[in-house]
Amino acid sequence: MGSQAPAAAGGGQTQRTQYPYVTGTSVIALKYKDGVIMACDTGASYGSTLRYKSVERIKAVGKHSLIGASGEFSDFQEILRYLDELTLSDHMWDDGNSLGPKEIHSYLTRVMYNRRNKFDPLWNSLVLGGVKKGPKGDEKYLGMVNMIGTHFEENHIATGFGNHLAIPILRAEWREDMTFEEAVKLVEKCLLVLLYRDRSSINKFQIAKITTEGSTIYPPYSLKTYWGFSHFENPAQGAVGSW
Amino acid sequence: MTGSMDLPAKGGFSFELCRRNDMLEKKGLKLPGFRKTGTTIVGLVFQDGVVLGADTRATEGPIVADKNCEKIHFMAPNIYCCGAGTAADTEAVTDMVSSQLQLHRYATGRESRVVTALTLLKSHLFRYQGHVSAALVLGGVDCTGPHLHTVYPHGSTDTLPFATMGSGSLAAMSVFESKYKEGLTREEGIQLVAEAICAGIFNDLGSGSNVDVCVITKGKTEYLRNHQLPNPRTYVSSKGYSFTKGQTEVLSTKITQLKQTAEVAEGGDAMEE
C-alpha cells in the first residue's frame, strides 16, 4: 500500500487528510487441519525506504485468535490497544467465556467501518484467524477487514500485493485438512513469489499458527532464492550489439 | 502518421496533429476511447524452443467486446508475438513489423531472426513515446537458438526465460515463479503455460474465455488455437431456441384489423368536380 490521495473531511476547520506513512506489505493466511496459519514478512517501509526490518505484524489476541495487519503500522498499534481494552473488559466479566475470533472480527469490522464513515480511516487491511470450541466442535475461523470496512470470511486470505500474487496460487492449491507441514510449504511458496515480485517485501518472514492449544509465533527466518537461470547470466547473448 | 514505406522516418514524434486535437478537445469533442485487450499473455523457454500463451478476451471498459479473439500474432514462420494493451495498436504494430520482416527475408534470403523483430518493434515504439500502447511478448527460434523477449509500450525490452504481460500478468507470474525450471520438456512447457493463462483467466477480470498456445521449435511451429476451453456454456436449454406453438400459454386473443373496412353507401351524390 503506497501513499494514496488525501481524503479530506467535511467539518469546518479540522481537515483529516490521511496518507499512510510507515506501511507493512502483504499478509497471507490459510486454514489447515488443526487451525489457522498466518505469515508475513517483518519489514515496514517509509515510502520507498525500507525503514524497519524487524517488525512483528502478527500478534495474538486473547486465547483464541491471531491478528495480522498490512498498511499503516501506527494504526495497527492503535488497533492492538483497542483489542487490549476489549479483551481486558471481557476478562473482567469473569464468566468463564472468552472472546473468539468471530467476535473479534465483528468488533474490528464495526470499528473500521465507523472510522471510514467519519472520513478518518485506520489505514489497514486486517487478517483475523482463530479456533474456538463451538457447538459443532472446534470451529476454525479466518476472515479479513480492510480500511473501508469490507469484510468477509474465507479459507485463505491475502492482503495487499498478496491479492494479485498469492491468491491465484492459494485458489489452485489449497485443500481442506492440510497438515501443518503442507500448509507451511504452501505459505512459503506464496511468500517466495511475493519476495521476488513485490518491491516492498524483504527476505525475513514470520509464520504464526493458532490451534486449540493456543497461538505460536515462530522466530523469523529467510527463504532461499534462486537466481541461476542461464538467461540471467548473459541476456544479450543472442543479440550481440543490441540494447 | 505511420510514415510511408519509401521515405525512411526522420525520427522523433510527429506532432503535426496534436494542436488540432487539442483545439477539438477544447471545443468539447470527446475523444474516442481505446479498446483494450485486458489480457494475460505469457511466454517461456523450454529445452527445444519457446512456448507462447494467451487468453482470448477483448474488453471495452466493463464489456467483453470479443469472446474469442486472437492475441498471438504471426511475425515470421519462426517468430510469433503476443500482444496486450490497445487492440488496434498491437495488431497494427505486429502487422507492420511482420511485413518489414518479410521484405527483409526477400532482401537477405535468410530466415528472420528474433532480434530483428525486437529491434524493429522497440525503435517504432520508442519513436511514439508510449502513445502506441502495445505491450508484447515476442518469442521465436532462429539460427542462434530460442529467444523470448518482452517489449513495453515505451520501447524498453527484456530478455527473459519466462515472461508475462497484461492485466493478468501477476496471476500468471505467480504460477511461473513457483513452478518454472530450466530444461522443461514440450509437454511440461505447454502444461505450465496453460496453467499460467488459466490463473489469469480465473483470477483477473480483464482476462477470460479460452487458452491459446503456440509452440515454436527449430523448423516447426504449432499454433494451438483454443488449446483449452475452460469456460464452456454449461446450461443449454433442452428445448433449444425454437419456440413451437403451445409452449407459451395464451391467456386471451384480440384481433385488430389494420385495414379498416368501410361500408360504401349505394347511390348518393356523384363526386363534385
Side-chain angles (χ1 to χ4, degrees), chain A residues 165 171 196-197 230 239 243, chain B residues 115 122 174 177 179 182 203:
Chain A
L165 291 169
R171 279 186 182 163
Y196 284 135
R197 296 284 161 175
S230 57
W243 67 99
Chain B
V115 287
K122 72 180 352 179
S174 69
E177 281 286 11
K179 296 193 179 157
E182 300 225 85
N203 292 296

Side-chain angles (χ1 to χ4, degrees), chain B residues 3 9 13 15 37-38 40 59 84 90 99 127 133 148 154-155 170 191 199 213 217 221 225 246 263 266-267 271 273:
Chain B
F13 184 58
F15 292 91
T37 53
T40 308
T59 50
T90 58
S99 313
R127 257 193 77 218
S133 172
L148 179 70
H154 284 265
L170 283 94
Q191 159 71 14
V213 173
T217 49
T221 308
R225 168 79 172 145
E263 285 287 325
E266 285 298 317
M271 271 209 315
E273 281 296 311

Side-chain angles (χ1 to χ4, degrees), chain B residues 120-142:
Chain B
L120 289 168
L121 284 166
K122 72 180 352 179
S123 319
H124 180 82
L125 291 174
F126 181 70
R127 257 193 77 218
Y128 284 85
Q129 289 293 296
H131 289 285
V132 175
S133 172
L136 312 164
V137 171
L138 175 72
V141 179
D142 57 30

Side-chain angles (χ1 to χ4, degrees), chain A residues 75-195:
Chain A
D75 285 344
F76 178 49
Q77 291 170 324
E78 190 69 4
I79 288 170
L80 289 175
R81 257 199 44 214
Y82 291 158
L83 290 174
D84 261 346
E85 282 176 25
L86 183 74
T87 44
L88 184 66
S89 51
D90 180 60
H91 184 70
M92 290 200 298
W93 282 107
D94 203 16
D95 55 4
N97 195 13
S98 50
L99 289 170
K102 232 181 272 237
E103 289 84 57
I104 303 206
H105 188 214
S106 223
Y107 171 78
L108 287 172
T109 308
R110 292 297 100 222
V111 169
M112 301 298 267
Y113 186 65
N114 272 291
R115 288 292 292 259
R116 164 261 176 107
N117 285 340
K118 291 192 275 194
F119 281 87
D120 186 17
L122 289 161
W123 208 286
N124 292 110
S125 285
L126 305 166
V127 183
L128 218 302
V131 202
K132 191 176 172 203
K133 260 195 180 38
K136 298 184 202 137
D138 287 334
E139 283 166 21
K140 301 177 281 217
Y141 185 88
L142 180 59
M144 91 105 124
V145 197
N146 70 7
M147 66 184 263
I148 54 175
T150 313
H151 60 283
F152 55 87
E153 206 203 315
E154 188 45 279
N155 292 323
H156 40 72
I157 299 273
T159 65
F161 247 96
N163 268 311
H164 299 104
L165 291 169
I167 292 275
I169 303 179
L170 294 170
R171 279 186 182 163
E173 300 189 18
W174 183 86
R175 284 173 358 258
E176 194 80 53
D177 288 336
M178 297 173 82
T179 64
F180 181 63
E181 288 72 36
E182 291 175 330
V184 170
K185 265 188 73 183
L186 184 54
V187 153
E188 285 186 347
K189 204 178 205 185
C190 297
L191 289 174
L192 193 57
V193 177
L194 283 167
L195 176 63

Side-chain angles (χ1 to χ4, degrees), chain B residues 139-155:
Chain B
V141 179
D142 57 30
C143 58
T144 54
H147 298 281
L148 179 70
H149 303 280
T150 51
V151 187
Y152 289 83
H154 284 265

